[in-house]
Structure formats: C-alpha cells, structure tokens
Amino acid sequence: MAALASGNGTIDAAATAEQRQTAEAAPIRSATNPMVTPLLTDLYQFTMAYAYWKAGKHLERAVFDLYFRKNPFGGEYTVFAGLEECIRLIANFHFKEEDISFMRSVMPTCEDGFFEYLREVDCSDVEVYAVPEGSVVFPKVPLIRVEGPVAVVQLLETPFVNLVNYASLVTTNAARHRFVAGNTKYLLEFGLRRAQGPDGGISASKYCYIGGFDATSNVAAGNLFGIPLRGTHSHAFVSSYMSPDEIVDKSLHSHDGSSTCMDFLSLVQTWLSKLQLSESLHGVFGETNQSELAAFTSYALAFPNNFLALVDTYDVIRSGIPNFCAVALALNDLGYKASGIRLDSGDLAYLSIEARKFFQAIEKEFNVPGFGKMSITASNDLNEETLDALNKQGHEIDAFGIGTYLVTCYTQAALGCVFKLVEINKQPRIKLSEDVTKVSIPCKKRCFRLYGREGYALVDIMTGENETPPKVGERILCRHPFNESKRAYVVPQRVEELLKCYWPGSSNKPREDLPVLKIIRDRCMQQLEQMRSDHMRRLNPTPYKVSVSGKLYDFIHFLWLSEAPVGELQ
C-alpha cells in the first residue's frame, strides 16, 4: 500500500498488512492550501443548495462527472492531477461557525433552517470514484465521479474543478517538456518567481514533478512535498565582487580532510595561468574577468562539493568558462568534483558545444578523468519549441532550467474541466447543446482502457454501470458517442478499469490509497510509455479513440431524442 500522506509521507509502499490496516484508518490531512475550504466555491452553488433545500430535494441522490472536452496545447493527451487535494477537501469538509455567519450575511433572506442544515453538512454520504492521479486521460472520459446528496455534491463542483484544472494542465505541460527533452536530460523547474502567486508557485512545483521534472528551485515545495531542490547563484552574486582581494578566508580542507590548502585562491590562479599557456586552448581566451574569478572562488569555498557556476555574466567563452575551469581544477586537486556550469543567455547550442570542447581538451591535456563530461545546464525562457529547436540544431546540454512558459502554461489558459449531472434518483440526465462537443454522456458509467498486442493503449470505452465489462480476448464493439459511422471492433489483450473508489462515504467499499508523490510521478512516466508515439508527437498527433459501448450509444441517442424539443415549421 502506498501512503495516505503527500510527497514526504512516511508510510512505505511495501508496508506490511498490519501497517496497511493502520494507514487505512488514519485520518486524511487537510488541504495543502488553507484557503481550500467549503467557502472556496461560487455563490450560485449556495443559491442552488438553498433552492434544493427549500424544495425538499437536497437529499436526492445525484451523480456528477468531472471531465474535460479537449486536450490542451494542441496535443492528444492529458495527465490527470489534483485528486489528492480533492480528497483532502472532502475528508475535512465542514462549515465553521464563522462560515455560517458569513453566509447568513450574504444570503439574508434565506430561512434559518437552511443554515442549521449547513452546520451539519459533511461528506460522510458522498462517494468519489476517480482515475488514479498521474494517469494519462482523454476528453469525455470522467476523471472523477461524485455521488451523494445533490446539494452537497453541488457545493463540491467549483473547488473540484479548481483543484483539477490547473493541476492537470501544468502536469501535462511538464510531461510535454519531458517528452521533447528526452528521458536522459535533467529537468529543473525554476518557475516560482513567474508563477501566478504563491499558490500557483507551490502547485506548479508539485505538479511539474509529477509530470517528469527532476527537481525544483522552490524551497517551500521541497519542504512540503519532498521534491529534490536545486539551485546555485545569480548574476548578482557574480557582479557583487570587485576583485579577488575581497576574499578574506582562502583556506579549504581537502575532500578527505587529510590536509588543508591555506590559499585556495592562489591555487585557482595557478591553474588559470596553466590554461592560458595551454597548447590545446591557445588563442581561445586571454585575460579573464578577475571579479568573476573572485566570485567563483568564493562560491567554491562555500560549496566545494556542489560547485556549479553561472558563466555568462561577462563573456562565456573568454571569461566564464576559463574561470570556472580554473576553480574546478583547483577543487580537483583537493579531491572535489565540480558540478558544472549554467548558461543563461546567448546561442545555447553553440555555447554548449564550445564549452564541451573546452572541457574535453582539459581532460585530455591535463589528464583529469571525467572533466570532459562536466554537466552543462541551460536556462533563459526555455519552452517546448526551444527544446525542439535545440535538438534539431544539436547541442551538448545535459540539464534544462525552465520557468515562465512551464508554470504559466503560456500557450493554454485553462484545461476547461466541467462538472455535469448525469443521474439523479437513478434517472439518467443529459445536457444538450447545438455544439455536439458540449453534449454530456448520461448515466452512471464504468470506464475501461483496452490494450493491444504490443502493450499500447488502443481505446477507452465507457459502458453502462450494469453492462458486462469488456474481457480479454473477447471482441467488443466500440462506438463514437455521437458519430454513427465511427465504430470498430476491438479484441483487447489487456483490460484496465479506470475509475476506482477513493472516498466510499457510507458504502463500506474499500478505499484506494493516496500514494506518495514519487509513486504518482512513476505512474505518470509508466502511463506515458504505454502510449503510442504518434499520439505523443508535437506536430499533427494522432487522436486517441474514446468510445462508448453499443448499448450506451443507443441509450444516449434515445435520451437525446426524448429530451430535445421538437421544432415546428410555420
């Protein structure tokens, strides 16, 4: 069993049966953001709740589906995220006295009995079924199904949509960046300063990690979720130094502690002189910027085990890289291994290639094993298109620091999740529209993913709740929900039921665990690997098929005709 905690939870995935029972009984913590309360909703949810209550309908059993209609970023897949925060909300859903007082002031004409009802409201009679967080998902298929008293479930609509919308959008954006960068590159999320407020920054760090990023610069996110932290220094640190004379304590213990270099700066300057006289580097650079050298030396004295330098403050080739190499070689003499450089401006492909040549020349001439493989990190307003262009040009970059375009989801404002009533009192309901993409799929449904012989997902299919589920090796008719001519038979080699119970309410059904963040991330990576490459590509991706069973198709169109008014020509 995974953990009920979030990223830094302490319940191990390989817990014993006894530990699992304990975990299931453990209370679910409140939402990460303290602003996520029952009041985090739209006013019309309260006005509808009052109208339900006044009409005596508030306890009627309703079923709502949360889904989206179109994949973001011009792609053909989405990664579902935000489920844990939804479950945290309903696990701790209750109105405080100050909440009741506020709603009385907002709705002064409502009867006192309604506020007494709100005082007792919780989610103990609500059931939540969802696709596991980190799953690859597609339009129209319910991400979350919520069942319960209609007034209570209505109050959950806005916060659920809010908690899923951005989470899934930014996770998908991160996954797209990971796909373009490739699995061998190290991806760093640097978006906090450009995110939409503190909550946007915290959420982005969490969900970019799920989507395939390796680390974040966001210290608060590292603390909250256990995400690896990475960071070095800025241009300000480099330009704050005027001369090597500012370095007061120049001593540095060797890595093994057996000796002490009393003047590390002199060792650095000696290496810089050697580089200037090097035959393989002859003519590449002359006098380097000495204030930059001082900054690098000072930073290495502070972090000899993790020295990574920003090399573009003055001139990358003529100053930054030679100064870095002088410090890195001095550290090497004392048993340390420098981490690498960061490029934050200029022609990143060209500069990375030149830097690699510089490192390789030093390794060969001075016999420093591994120096030629020094890590090169690039930043500077990177996005999907930039990564794709760099790949086509050819480069020597090992890691990418990505911020603004990643966390703001610059090319897609929102995912567009909706929350639609599909059944009330066991009676299926449908939402019609002249725009067929906005027609809802009625009734309580089961959802399955069918896999082919090669292990790739072929199609998602929705069936009625009481239909016989698809079986391995048995041919099943899959139909487009609204296009009569689009249909195909599938013989699945594996069948995966998508919706699982994450909040059983009073049903006594077993509850799925809320896994730790690392497990969610691993699921995301595994799911993406199970998708065909033509569904994943950036340009003209192949649409993934979402279907309904033959019986559900017939019922949708029967209900459509039953509910649609008949026109009259005059």
Side-chain angles (χ1 to χ4, degrees), residues 287-399:
E287 286 294 322
T288 64
N289 187 293
Q290 291 300 292
S291 61
E292 180 183 60
L293 183 68
F296 288 178
T297 303
S298 179
Y299 198 80
L301 286 166
F303 297 101
N305 287 299
N306 189 29
F307 174 58
L308 192 151
L310 179 61
V311 295
D312 68 335
T313 303
Y314 301 112
D315 187 295
V316 174
I317 301 298
R318 294 184 176 87
S319 183
I321 291 176
N323 280 337
F324 164 79
C325 290
V327 177
L329 289 165
L331 286 172
N332 183 74
D333 283 350
L334 299 179
Y336 297 100
K337 180 175 174 57
S339 297
I341 63 169
R342 178 161 72 95
L343 302 168
D344 192 48
S345 61
D347 185 335
L348 299 177
Y350 168 75
L351 291 174
S352 69
I353 291 170
E354 292 303 305
R356 182 69 66 209
K357 290 177 181 177
F358 206 106
F359 298 152
Q360 291 172 342
I362 288 175
E363 176 176 355
K364 183 177 181 180
E365 180 170 345
F366 297 102
N367 192 28
V368 185
F371 203 93
K373 297 180 180 179
M374 191 72 69
S375 177
I376 300 172
T377 300
S379 50
N380 187 28
D381 280 342
L382 302 179
N383 54 36
E384 260 192 88
E385 288 72 24
T386 312
L387 298 183
D388 190 47
L390 286 168
N391 289 340
K392 291 173 180 176
Q393 292 173 54
H395 64 84
E396 288 290 334
I397 300 167
D398 303 295

Side-chain angles (χ1 to χ4, degrees), residues 141-153:
V141 179
L143 309 180
I144 303 176
R145 186 178 79 219
V146 187
E147 306 174 24
V150 63
V152 177
V153 178

Side-chain angles (χ1 to χ4, degrees), residues 180-319:
V180 176
N183 292 330
T184 62
K185 303 302 180 185
Y186 199 80
L187 296 184
L188 308 161
E189 178 268 309
F190 284 174
L192 177 59
R193 64 183 57 199
R194 303 289 171 79
Q196 285 92 339
D199 184 55
I202 292 291
S203 297
S205 297
K206 176 181 181 180
Y207 296 117
C208 286
Y209 181 69
I210 290 176
F213 274 61
D214 298 290
T216 179
S217 64
N218 186 341
V219 176
N223 179 45
L224 282 170
F225 308 121
I227 302 171
L229 290 171
R230 293 293 184 273
T232 53
H233 61 79
S234 70
H235 296 107
F237 181 83
V238 176
S239 58
S240 72
Y241 281 81
M242 303 295 289
S243 126
D245 295 337
E246 295 179 60
I247 302 175
V248 178
D249 185 358
K250 304 172 185 178
S251 63
L252 180 62
H253 296 297
S254 63
H255 185 264
D256 62 8
S258 62
S259 61
T260 300
C261 174
M262 300 307 298
D263 193 345
F264 181 69
L265 175 59
S266 292
L267 182 59
V268 170
Q269 290 169 329
T270 298
W271 268 111
L272 184 60
S273 298
K274 290 181 181 179
L275 295 178
Q276 289 170 329
L277 298 172
S278 164
E279 292 184 7
S280 58
L281 300 175
H282 179 71
V284 174
F285 71 99
E287 286 294 322
T288 64
N289 187 293
Q290 291 300 292
S291 61
E292 180 183 60
L293 183 68
F296 288 178
T297 303
S298 179
Y299 198 80
L301 286 166
F303 297 101
N305 287 299
N306 189 29
F307 174 58
L308 192 151
L310 179 61
V311 295
D312 68 335
T313 303
Y314 301 112
D315 187 295
V316 174
I317 301 298
R318 294 184 176 87
S319 183

